[in-house]
Structure formats: C-alpha cells, structure tokens
Amino acid sequence: MFTRTKAIASIGLWVSGFSLFMDSASAQTAAIVVNTTADDINAGDSNCTLREAINNANTNRDTTNGDCRTGSSYPIIDAIAFNIQSTQPSIIPNSPLPTLTETVVIDGTSQPSFQTIATHSLTCPNPMGVPLPAQTITISRPVIELNGAAAGKVSGITIDADQVVIQGLVINQFQRAGIEILNNSSQIIIDSNYIGTDITGTVALGNNRGVVIKAGNTTNPNNTIIKNNVISGNTFVGVLVNGDANADQQGNTIVNNFIGTDYTGKNVLGNTTEKRGHGVVIGHGNFAALDSRYPAQNHTIRGNVIAGSHTTNLWVSNYASNNLVECNYIGTDQTGTVALGNCIDGLLIGGTRSDAPSRLNKIRHNLISGNARCQGNTEANLTLQWGAIENTIENNLIGTDITGTVALSPILSTDGIGIKKPANQIRNNVIGGHRRHGIHIYRGFGTQPGDNRIENNYIGINPSGSNIANGGDGIAIFSNIYTPDTVLPLMDVLIRGTRITGNAIANNGHNGIRLEARGDEAGFK
C-alpha cells in the first residue's frame, strides 16, 4: 500500500469525495505510484511511467513485472499518484497516452512540492437586493507537467469511463484538447489543474482546446465538475461543452475557475489566437455541424473569472437551452475593478442560425464589463444573437465595476445589451458606462425582435444615484444599422409587443429612449 503521508491524505480526500458517485463506505484505493518522467513501457526496470500506470489501471493487472502496482476493478478506486525526484517533473509523451477506460484518480497533488497558494472571494452581484453568498476560487501550484509538444495531433488525457478525477496537473501544448471527455463518460472531476499554461501559471503554452466535453447520438457526459482550475492560453477555446441527442437532465458544472487569466486572476493570457478564440462555449458554436440538432442544456457556469478571449468570453450557442450562468466575472479581473475584456462580445447567446434556438437560459448575478473593445457595429458586453429567444437577463452589473458605481473603461464597450431576437426578459440590471447605448434593439436575420420585456433596470444610473452614463441612448430601438462610416438601408424592424416599464434612465449622452422604426408593426404595448 502507498505509504507517503501527503498522498494518503490527498487520495483519502478524493475517496470521500466520491460519495457523489458511490457509497463512500465501500470505496477503497489501490495506489499506483509514478516515479519517473520517462514515457516508455519497459517492464521490470523498477520505473513506473504514467503510460504504464494507466495501462495497469485500465486492465486491472500488472503489465509491468512489478514496476507499477496492479490496477483494481470497481468498487476499488485506482489512484495514480506521483513521487518523481525532480524539481520540475515534465512528462513528454511521444504518442497518445492510453484512453482512461475505468474509474481512476490521477492525483498530481501527491507530488511532494504541490501546494495550495491562494483563495479568492468573488462578490456575487445583486444590485436590487440583499448581497448573495460570495464564490470562492482556490488556486494551487501544480508541479507535474504533461507536455504534448511531441505527442502528435492528439489530446493529453482522454476519458471514456465514469467517475474519473484529474487533479493537480499542468497540461499544455497538445494539438487537440488538454482533457477530452468522451460521450460515454459521466461524473468526472477536473480540479486544481493548469490547462494551457506553463508550470508557473503565467505563460501561455496552449493546447488547441483546454477541456472538451463531447457528446453526440448516445449520451451526454453529465454530472461532470470542472473547478478551481486555471484554463488559459489555449489557442481556440478554454472549455467546450457540446450537445446531446438524448437531452440529459443532469448537466455539467463549470465552477470557480480562472478562464483566460494567469494564476493570479489579474493578467490576461486569453484562450485565443490573433483573430478568434472563446473562453467557454456551451453548444455547437459555428465550428460544429448543425444538422444533428443536439441540445446542450442543464449546464451551470458559476463563480468563474472569464476574460481575455478574442471573439467571446462566454458563448451560449446554437441549441443551448435551460442553462444557468450565475455569479461570474465576465471581462474583468478577479477584483472586479479592472477591465480584461475581449474584442467582440463578452457574453453571447445564440449563433448564426435562427432555426438553432438558444432559449430559456438564465443569466443572473454576473458582472459583465470591459468587453467589446474592438468598437465595431454590433459588439456588446452581452448580445442576444440570432436564435436567442425566451432568455432571462436579471440582476447583473453590465458595464460597471463590482461596486456598480464606476463605469469600467467606457471607451471599450460599444453597447451594454444588444438584442436581435424576440421574447427575452431584461430586468433588474444596472447598465452603464458604454461608448454607445445601454440597451440596443435592432434586427437580426429571420424573426424580428418584438415581444421583449425591459423592466425595472437602472440605465445610466445606479440605485444609489451614481452617474454611470452611456455615451449614446439609454434604450435605442432602430430600424437602421449603423457602421462607423455609413447608415445601411432601413430594414422594417418589427417591435410589436415590446414592453419597457419601470426603468430608471438618466445621464445618458443622447436620448433616454429612442424609437426609430417603420411600418404598422412597430409599436409598444
């Protein structure tokens, strides 16, 4: 039995944590100790490589002539621990590591020099009421590096099993994902890793994607928890959660991570190339086939700092419905006082297809500020794009710092909220500090943006009376779409049924409410 005190404590912690998945009284561990950075399979050489340890865990037998402990079958939990005699142990696979096919804990926290270095408290905005409980992000300093520079076009760790834990690793430079969770998996925990950075958490060494939860025509991975990680520096997306044909009722949770920042939560590393990149994507995005129409739903994104991506920091995309986005800082640092925004939209709901609805999502108690710094035509801190219908946007601070009293870098953000689709509810938000409009309703493709509800918001002013002016109108409803140099032709925007009630609108650079639409269908209730 593995006898190092630190590893026993760490593994024991995760055994008790497996009560999420099984009766903890029946859970035991069988520890396999990796003691080398080598990547070979050389039975009987007294070295246990990570590749050999995974093979033993998968096959439940000793494939190494005694180098690694034999893996054990359920309900015994295999725990792959580390005791590598190196100050900076880097494992550099020369080919794909074996896919994880059985329950296992890969425990980088067992390496002697692993440490927890900081906890950060995120205030959860509630501008109209009593403050909500704060979110806590715990950041560690992993030591074991899994470096994919020589592995080829593969993912770092691929999971095709239930009840797997990956903790305390640095995973970087893989041409696919750092961690890829396949669609026959569920109940996975990804905790306290650096995914896409170097071991200091300050330099981007990106994978193409950080963490991918794949799905398709079988089952969606569910009950997966991604927490307390730094997921930054990846070249395309930090976290991607795809949809599922069976519309599972148990979703996944992305909670208390730094996504797009360094380990301090104060400096941008992004998840981006020069002209594209996303922090978190729920749904298909524009880079996955839409003909399958698999919904991505019942996921929770809570208590994260998401910043520094090029295109979107958070995208609730095609066919993404019934998701909860709560208590995140989107576009700021972990203090909520410094803009670390992106180029285009901070939070985007919907995609490029009106027939791929993103509906019934709840966006509440978030700080969404400092985004849309490229100052184009349609960028906003929060955009309801084509396909976004029947979503609720409530109790957020949009365009301010975490106090709700200071406009956060107003030169950056074009609009506060941009709306192209119908039947969304915008209520109880504080919206201020934008270069153009607080709320901007204009036509997208397909269905017109009628029947929206804009109720009980503070626009250009906060509940205490502070001036947080928007540079344009408080609420602008246009049939024209403006570009920096021209006005495009009128588009007969239909806004019938739009309700604007109970809002405090003040201090804005132009009108409180501006209506510029055509046709008999334009009107308020």
Side-chain angles (χ1 to χ4, degrees):
M1 184 67 179
F2 188 43
T3 58
R4 287 180 60 250
T5 303
K6 181 177 179 62
I8 288 174
S10 177
I11 294 168
L13 171 65
W14 278 108
V15 171
S16 64
F18 265 91
S19 60
L20 287 171
F21 310 142
M22 64 180 74
D23 180 0
S24 61
S26 66
Q28 304 175 53
T29 59
I32 306 169
V33 184
V34 175
N35 61 7
T36 178
T37 60
D39 185 46
D40 55 26
I41 297 176
N42 189 5
D45 66 356
S46 300
N47 289 323
C48 179
T49 68
L50 178 59
R51 186 179 298 277
E52 290 174 321
I54 294 173
N55 281 335
N56 278 13
N58 283 342
T59 61
N60 299 312
R61 63 186 181 86
D62 183 9
T63 65
T64 62
N65 196 21
D67 296 339
C68 297
R69 185 186 181 99
T70 304
S72 301
S73 58
Y74 181 89
I76 304 298
I77 303 168
D78 290 323
I80 297 176
F82 295 85
N83 185 15
I84 299 174
Q85 300 303 308
S86 172
T87 56
Q88 293 186 350
S90 183
I91 299 171
I92 307 175
N94 293 309
S95 61
L97 288 171
T99 296
L100 305 181
T101 57
E102 288 211 353
T103 297
V104 66
V105 179
I106 299 184
D107 182 20
T109 73
S110 59
Q111 180 68 16
S113 48
F114 176 90
Q115 58 183 320
T116 299
I117 56 176
T119 58
H120 304 277
S121 180
L122 267 60
T123 300
C124 189
N126 190 24
M128 307 300 180
V130 177
L132 300 179
Q135 293 290 309
T136 300
I137 301 176
T138 301
I139 297 298
S140 301
R141 177 59 54 81
V143 181
I144 300 294
E145 179 185 37
L146 187 58
N147 180 329
K153 195 172 183 179
V154 301
S155 295
I157 295 175
T158 303
I159 301 171
D160 194 7
D162 297 336
Q163 304 166 6
V164 171
V165 177
I166 309 296
Q167 62 174 357
L169 300 178
V170 178
I171 305 173
N172 56 42
Q173 301 183 73
F174 285 91
Q175 294 182 37
R176 293 186 52 157
I179 298 174
E180 185 172 5
I181 303 171
L182 301 182
N183 61 356
N184 290 318
S185 308
S186 64
Q187 301 172 326
I188 311 299
I189 296 176
I190 310 298
D191 184 16
S192 301
N193 304 283
Y194 290 3
I195 303 173
T197 78
D198 72 340
I199 62 170
T200 71
T202 63
V203 177
L205 292 177
N207 309 287
N208 180 265
R209 292 160 167 82
V211 180
V212 174
I213 301 180
K214 295 187 68 174
N217 59 5
T218 54
T219 59
N220 186 38
N222 56 66
N223 281 329
T224 287
I225 301 171
I226 301 171
K227 65 176 184 176
N228 293 323
N229 303 281
V230 176
I231 306 175
S232 302
N234 301 288
T235 58
F236 184 48
V237 63
V239 181
L240 171 61
V241 182
N242 287 145
D244 161 43
N246 291 333
D248 290 321
Q249 295 304 304
Q250 298 297 320
N252 302 293
T253 301
I254 304 167
V255 58
N256 303 146
N257 302 282
F258 286 162
I259 301 175
T261 75
D262 69 355
Y263 81 98
T264 70
K266 294 183 178 181
N267 301 297
V268 168
L269 293 182
N271 285 286
T272 182
T273 57
E274 183 180 354
K275 294 184 178 181
R276 68 173 188 172
H278 312 274
V280 177
V281 178
I282 307 297
H284 288 259
N286 292 337
F287 37 86
L290 293 178
D291 54 3
S292 55
R293 297 178 182 267
Y294 298 155
Q297 63 183 23
N298 302 309
H299 306 298
T300 299
I301 303 95
R302 177 187 293 119
N304 304 281
V305 174
I306 311 174
S309 302
H310 181 274
T311 307
T312 57
N313 280 322
L314 172 57
W315 187 4
V316 182
S317 183
N318 300 296
Y319 302 116
S321 299
N322 295 289
N323 299 291
L324 174 63
V325 178
E326 181 177 69
C327 301
N328 302 282
Y329 289 10
I330 302 173
T332 79
D333 74 342
Q334 54 93 358
T335 71
T337 62
V338 177
L340 298 180
N342 65 340
C343 182
I344 306 181
D345 297 298
L347 193 161
L348 177 64
I349 304 176
T352 58
R353 296 262 298 264
S354 292
D355 61 345
S358 302
R359 59 191 298 266
L360 300 174
N361 297 290
K362 292 182 173 58
I363 314 298
R364 65 191 188 193
H365 304 297
N366 301 281
L367 172 64
I368 311 172
S369 294
N371 302 286
R373 56 184 169 80
C374 290
Q375 300 183 11
N377 177 48
T378 61
E379 291 79 13
N381 265 314
L382 191 159
T383 296
L384 294 156
Q385 180 68 288
W386 308 306
I389 61 173
E390 299 175 302
N391 299 284
T392 300
I393 315 298
E394 61 184 352
N395 293 300
N396 302 283
L397 294 173
I398 301 175
T400 75
D401 71 352
I402 191 58
T403 70
T405 63
V406 177
L408 195 59
S409 300
I411 191 63
L412 297 180
S413 302
T414 300
D415 293 320
I417 301 177
I419 304 174
K420 300 180 183 180
K421 298 298 290 184
N424 297 287
Q425 292 188 327
I426 316 296
R427 63 192 183 198
N428 299 330
N429 303 283
V430 172
I431 306 168
H434 299 94
R435 185 174 63 89
R436 197 161 62 178
H437 312 300
I439 297 176
H440 185 187
I441 301 177
Y442 51 102
R443 198 186 91 166
F445 296 125
T447 307
Q448 298 281 359
D451 295 309
N452 289 290
R453 303 289 186 264
I454 302 174
E455 301 171 337
N456 303 322
N457 301 282
Y458 284 76
I459 305 172
I461 189 173
N462 74 0
S464 65
S466 298
N467 183 338
I468 48 171
N470 299 287
D473 303 311
I475 300 174
I477 304 174
F478 287 158
S479 58
N480 301 49
I481 291 184
Y482 292 87
T483 70
D485 302 312
T486 61
V487 179
L488 302 181
L490 291 174
M491 300 176 68
D492 293 315
V493 176
L494 309 182
I495 58 169
R496 172 178 287 180
T498 296
R499 183 185 299 275
I500 301 176
T501 59
N503 301 281
I505 307 172
N507 303 316
N508 298 290
H510 294 123
N511 305 285
I513 300 176
R514 180 179 180 181
L515 170 62
E516 186 177 303
R518 295 179 60 191
D520 295 338
E521 297 293 325
F524 298 114
K525 281 186 178 179

